[in-house]
Amino acid sequence: MRSLAVALLALGACAGSVPVPARPGYAPTPAMIDDDLALLRAHGDVEVLEAPGGGVVLVSPRWQGRVMTSAVEPHGASLGFVHRAFIESGKTGTPFDNYGGEDRFWLGPEGGQYGLYFPPGAPFAIESWQTPHAMQEGPWEVRSRDATHVRLARTMRVTSWSGVDFDVAVDRTVRVLSADAVRERFGESPPAGSRWVAFESDNTITNAGARAWTRETGLLSIWILGMYAPAPDAHVIVPFDPAGSGPIVNDAYFGKIPPERLVVHERDGWLSFVADGQQRGKIGVGAARAREALGSWSPAARLLTLVRYARPVAAPDGYVNSLWERQADPYGGDVVNSYNDGPTGPGKPSLGGFYEIETSSPAAALAPGESIHHVHATLHVVADATSLEPLVREVLGVSLRDVAR
């Protein structure tokens, strides 16, 4: 096993290894993929997927089929957020069983009258927040596997704040992507000489009950969340349509975000959001503005992360609204989101210390037996900013020279 010092020489101060000032509840991910693999294997089975370029992707059937983390090379730096302290505690059934994971499956919405993360009638406050037990407890069934993919399944029941039950069958395939697949998904290949790894989750939910899902009683969505270790210089980059209607960005989830942490380039159509794991905040971009990709950049690490999702041309039932309030427009929610962790209140700990990049499917009005589908692809590239320019401009429409604190 290589030491952290050797890893830093190899990759620079990667997002998985840059320390953030310690505070209660903060737990940065281990630096190396071998450390994470050993930890995960000590607690359950791990599917190790092998990328064509030598990268590694770790998937945990025990922890709901999450992509726990990945690396651009064997024995290299671990790029996802793995919450070692929570895993080693052996806890389950907490408000949020935060094992980590850079691609985890959830269902939306979170808050509101149709939200799934608050008991029926409970106040929309952190003290009442509860991730549905079916989404965070118990292993998923492995349906098929080889060196490049794993297919998993789970049937679950969830209940909304309004007391409505939903029976949901989930089918989820995680696969690594070849260079040709990266070019197909992202429109540009990683630069020559770079180190990279790419994978996608292909997610389907089916109405497994006898009742149709309707707008009047609440709709669900597929919600994929990627958790990453923060870094002092890391920024999430979110392109948007400057000609779109309505607000550019929703930053009202957990209180207004100060301008030094959220910079909106209105004319150029992109925003940057500090991803240092130090101050809790969340942003979202709605259907009239959202593009099909977003990402993050850490200059010290030379680490670019890109996420692209399959967005349908039409979303007749809108997107579910996850705001923690009783909502006037429950189907006017966001398509893409980013969350930066931090203390949940004065004197309180954070949820673990991480940042997230999230994408959602449209709201799913499904008759019994009908399904909806959502694909979320992730690409990590380690290279210098100059060589990354063509890829970043193609996917995000931004120059990395313009992304600064």
Coordinates of all heavy atoms in Angstrom, one line a residue, residues 42 44 64 71 85 97 105 111 139 144 181 277 288 310 323 341:
A42 N -14.2 -5.4 4.8 CA -14.3 -5.8 6.2 C -15.7 -5.8 6.7 O -16.1 -6.4 7.7 CB -13.4 -4.9 7.1
G44 N -18.6 -6.2 4.3 CA -19.5 -6.8 3.3 C -18.9 -7.0 2.0 O -17.7 -6.7 1.7
Q64 N -26.9 -0.7 -0.5 CA -27.9 -0.2 -1.5 C -27.4 0.0 -2.9 O -27.8 0.9 -3.6 CB -28.6 1.0 -1.0 CG -29.4 0.9 0.3 CD -28.5 0.9 1.5 OE1 -27.7 1.8 1.7 NE2 -28.5 -0.1 2.4
A71 N -11.1 5.2 -8.6 CA -9.8 5.7 -8.7 C -9.4 5.7 -10.2 O -9.9 4.9 -11.0 CB -8.8 4.9 -7.9
A85 N -15.8 6.8 9.6 CA -16.2 6.8 11.0 C -17.6 6.2 11.1 O -17.9 5.4 12.1 CB -16.2 8.2 11.6
D97 N -28.2 7.2 7.3 CA -27.1 6.3 7.4 C -26.0 6.6 6.3 O -26.1 6.1 5.2 CB -27.6 4.8 7.1 CG -28.4 4.3 8.3 OD1 -28.5 5.0 9.3 OD2 -28.9 3.1 8.2
F105 N -28.5 5.8 -4.9 CA -29.9 5.8 -5.4 C -30.7 6.3 -4.3 O -30.7 5.7 -3.2 CB -30.3 4.5 -5.9 CG -31.8 4.4 -6.2 CD1 -32.2 4.6 -7.5 CD2 -32.8 4.1 -5.3 CE1 -33.6 4.6 -7.9 CE2 -34.1 4.1 -5.6 CZ -34.5 4.4 -6.9
G111 N -38.7 17.0 0.8 CA -39.6 17.7 1.6 C -41.0 18.0 0.9 O -41.2 17.6 -0.2
P139 N -29.3 -5.0 2.2 CA -28.5 -5.2 1.0 C -29.5 -5.3 -0.2 O -30.7 -5.6 -0.1 CB -27.8 -6.5 1.1 CG -28.7 -7.3 2.1 CD -29.3 -6.3 3.0
S144 N -26.8 -9.8 -11.8 CA -25.7 -10.2 -12.7 C -24.5 -9.4 -12.5 O -24.6 -8.3 -11.9 CB -26.2 -10.1 -14.2 OG -26.4 -8.7 -14.6
A181 N -17.3 5.2 -25.2 CA -18.5 5.5 -24.4 C -18.4 6.9 -23.8 O -19.4 7.6 -23.8 CB -18.8 4.5 -23.4
G277 N -16.9 21.8 2.2 CA -17.4 21.0 3.3 C -17.4 21.8 4.6 O -17.4 21.1 5.7
A288 N -36.4 25.1 -16.6 CA -36.3 26.1 -17.7 C -34.8 26.6 -17.9 O -34.5 27.3 -18.9 CB -37.1 27.3 -17.3
A310 N -29.1 11.7 -18.5 CA -30.0 11.5 -19.7 C -31.3 12.3 -19.3 O -32.1 11.8 -18.5 CB -30.3 10.1 -20.0
L323 N -38.0 21.2 -1.4 CA -37.9 22.2 -0.4 C -38.6 21.7 0.9 O -39.7 21.1 0.9 CB -38.5 23.5 -0.8 CG -37.7 24.3 -1.8 CD1 -38.5 25.5 -2.3 CD2 -36.3 24.8 -1.2
D341 N -21.7 20.4 2.5 CA -22.0 20.0 3.9 C -21.3 21.0 4.9 O -20.4 21.8 4.5 CB -21.5 18.6 4.2 CG -22.1 18.0 5.5 OD1 -23.2 18.4 5.8 OD2 -21.4 17.2 6.1

